[in-house]
């Protein structure tokens, strides 16, 4: 078993901010996640989007011990908290961006004092998921055609958070499925804008609506999404690994 850690894709010498990407996984699995799994590869274009938006920040891919959530053990959330606790003191702010199980992971750990924003993409938030006092800004986005995780559950969780006083923005991504491959330009724009706002001096305010449509900037193309994954993977190799435990 490999200890939890972060694969750094960008690490400016004077970086004090880290954008941490948390990939999806399985409901139950003790298998070791590997860099060439589809769930991890899907996060690479977001790393490029972040690099353009906040070039002064470090960028890393969260690496869990196991591929699965694994019931009450909540292994990925435990791993993410361990990483946040163990980061060097020079890293003062961390923006968390997660997809699917990674969305559940960043929500579960989003109250950590180092967190400066939580973006959950097509998150897996089952009924009864415990509320976390997330540190704003907080945005959820979910494809309307997602049959793997439930967009209605995402909105329900957001409304529960709002009831506690936490501002949340929710985007409905029309004609999009769980893999986020039909509207790649729009997902990348969301990641870039959210990150820039979270690490800026004046973050944007959350909207009050249950959900609103995600703006469409580019054409819908799954082929372009797959190509962008391959290109980003080549342009941004893993530079080093930060490991805890």
């Amino acid at each position: 078993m490999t200890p939890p850690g972060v694969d750094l894709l960008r690490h400016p010498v004077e970086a004090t901010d880290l954008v941490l990407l948390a990939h999806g996984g399985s409901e139950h699995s003790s298998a070791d996640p590997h860099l060439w799994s589809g769930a991890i590869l899907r996060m690479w274009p977001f790393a490029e989007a972040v690099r353009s938006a906040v070039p002064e920040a470090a960028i890393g891919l969260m690496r869990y011990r196991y591929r699965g959530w694994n019931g009450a053990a909540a292994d990925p959330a435990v791993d993410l908290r361990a990483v946040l606790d163990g980061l060097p003191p020079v890293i003062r702010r961390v923006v968390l961006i997660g997809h699917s199980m990674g969305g559940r992971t960043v929500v579960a750990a989003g109250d950590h004092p180092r967190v400066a924003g939580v973006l959950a993409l097509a998150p897996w938030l089952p009924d009864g998921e415990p509320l976390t006092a997330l540190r704003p800004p907080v945005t959820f986005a979910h494809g309307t055609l997602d049959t793997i995780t439930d967009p209605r559950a995402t909105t329900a969780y957001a409304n529960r958070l709002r009831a506690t006083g936490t501002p949340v923005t929710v985007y409905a991504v029309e004609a999009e499925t769980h893999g986020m491959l039909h509207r790649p330009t729009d997902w990348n724009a969301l990641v870039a804008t959210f990150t820039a706002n979270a690490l800026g001096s004046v973050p944007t305010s959350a909207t009050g609506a249950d959900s609103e449509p995600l703006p469409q900037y580019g054409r819908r193309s799954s082929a372009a999404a797959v190509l962008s994954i391959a290109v980003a993977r080549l342009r941004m190799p893993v530079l080093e690994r930060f490991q805890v435990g």
Side-chain angles (χ1 to χ4, degrees), residues 176-222:
E176 184 58 278
T177 58
H178 190 66
M180 307 181 298
L181 296 174
H182 296 285
R183 294 178 55 180
T185 301
D186 304 331
W187 289 107
N188 292 345
L190 171 61
V191 167
T193 300
F194 178 86
T195 306
N197 289 338
L199 295 178
S201 57
V202 184
T204 56
S205 299
T207 63
D210 273 3
S211 66
E212 59 184 288
L214 182 70
Q216 184 167 334
Y217 301 103
R219 63 188 180 90
R220 298 175 183 177
S221 173
S222 56

Side-chain angles (χ1 to χ4, degrees), residues 92-187:
R92 297 197 293 266
R93 299 187 296 178
V94 181
V95 173
L96 299 178
I97 301 173
H99 171 229
S100 190
M101 185 186 77
R104 188 179 186 182
T105 300
V106 300
V107 166
D111 59 347
H112 192 280
R114 272 181 160 149
V115 171
V118 176
L119 174 59
L121 310 174
W124 171 33
L125 295 170
D127 291 342
E129 184 71 3
L131 281 180
T132 306
L134 298 180
R135 298 172 67 85
V138 179
T139 294
F140 297 161
H142 216 129
T144 59
L145 301 182
D146 194 331
T147 59
I148 305 299
T149 57
D150 189 350
R152 295 169 301 179
T154 295
T155 300
Y157 190 93
N159 285 335
R160 290 169 60 203
L161 279 174
R162 289 166 173 153
T164 69
T166 301
V168 186
T169 296
V170 180
Y171 288 113
V173 189
E174 296 292 335
E176 184 58 278
T177 58
H178 190 66
M180 307 181 298
L181 296 174
H182 296 285
R183 294 178 55 180
T185 301
D186 304 331
W187 289 107

Side-chain angles (χ1 to χ4, degrees), residues 217-242:
Y217 301 103
R219 63 188 180 90
R220 298 175 183 177
S221 173
S222 56
V226 173
L227 178 61
S228 71
I229 291 170
V231 170
R233 180 67 179 85
L234 292 173
R235 285 178 177 169
M236 297 189 71
V238 174
L239 301 177
E240 57 184 299
R241 181 179 176 88
F242 169 78

